Amino acid sequence: MRACYDALLTDPDAPALFPYGGFGCLLVAGNLSRDGTTFFASRILSFLPEKKTQHIRAPLRRFSFYNDHAVYLDSHGKLEILIDQAALPISWDSTWNQWKHLLPSKLGIRAAFVRSGKYRQRAGERQLLKWRTAVPSRTEITFPPTITEDISEARKIHHRFGQFATALEEIRVRVEAVPIEKSDLEKFCAALGMPADFDVGLITWKPDYDAFYYRQLRRRARSLYLFRSEYIFDLKLR
């Protein structure tokens, strides 16, 4: 236990002796002191973590992809989910992290979450951060029917970003200086030989942007301007 403690001091992500940080019910064997005021534990018999079943919708763009698994972290809800490659009907690798922000799909996840904790150094003090971690064997995943098409489209867009990297960099320099209307950018892209179906709105797209809200605002706007990493919607006033 001392070795585990020392390891956690230098690396907060080091594995703990108790699963999920030790939140739950612990059953131990041991002996009372002669005066009956102290109990000395000598052996751990069982550990039952606190569990809570929860259903969430997890955007694929917020996953971190590795060669054999993927990890979803929700810093707002303090949730952590690890998904094994075998649990999904799709194959991925770490290169997905280069274009995952272009994925609009969301996974439906129903999982049993247990309380977990990690220590972080803040203001010279070690503070305990409490999260909830999904138990892999109690995790069920549902997929949108368009997931295959969404992945294919995201890959195609990423390929075009590489194909027209020089032109896109020139556009980014322009929108960094002044707001430019979307239709003007489309004309500029056409003059550079880019395909007509290329969505110039994706040039400044960020991983934390939500495609649903973007589409809703775009539908209601008379015009759309790109400025730096922002979108400026010219909406009709009622």
Side-chain angles (χ1 to χ4, degrees), residues 56-66 69-73 81-83 88 92 96-97 100-101 103 105-109 141:
I56 66 169
R57 287 177 57 79
L60 271 177
R61 68 180 185 275
R62 293 185 179 176
F63 279 81
S64 295
F65 294 97
Y66 304 90
H69 69 283
V71 178
Y72 173 77
L73 295 177
I81 304 173
L82 187 147
I83 298 178
L88 296 179
W92 67 78
W96 278 40
N97 295 309
K100 65 182 182 180
H101 61 286
L103 288 168
S105 304
K106 293 183 180 181
L107 303 183
I109 299 179
I141 304 173

Side-chain angles (χ1 to χ4, degrees), residues 32-106:
L32 280 172
S33 60
R34 291 183 178 179
D35 58 8
T37 59
T38 306
F39 181 84
F40 295 95
S42 60
R43 187 159 58 100
I44 299 173
L45 301 178
S46 67
F47 174 74
L48 181 64
E50 299 175 5
K51 291 189 296 183
K52 179 182 179 182
T53 300
Q54 188 173 347
H55 185 277
I56 66 169
R57 287 177 57 79
L60 271 177
R61 68 180 185 275
R62 293 185 179 176
F63 279 81
S64 295
F65 294 97
Y66 304 90
N67 290 334
D68 59 348
H69 69 283
V71 178
Y72 173 77
L73 295 177
D74 180 359
S75 58
H76 178 72
K78 296 294 186 293
L79 300 177
E80 180 180 14
I81 304 173
L82 187 147
I83 298 178
D84 189 85
Q85 180 81 263
L88 296 179
I90 53 177
S91 298
W92 67 78
D93 54 48
S94 58
T95 62
W96 278 40
N97 295 309
Q98 301 174 10
W99 47 271
K100 65 182 182 180
H101 61 286
L102 302 172
L103 288 168
S105 304
K106 293 183 180 181

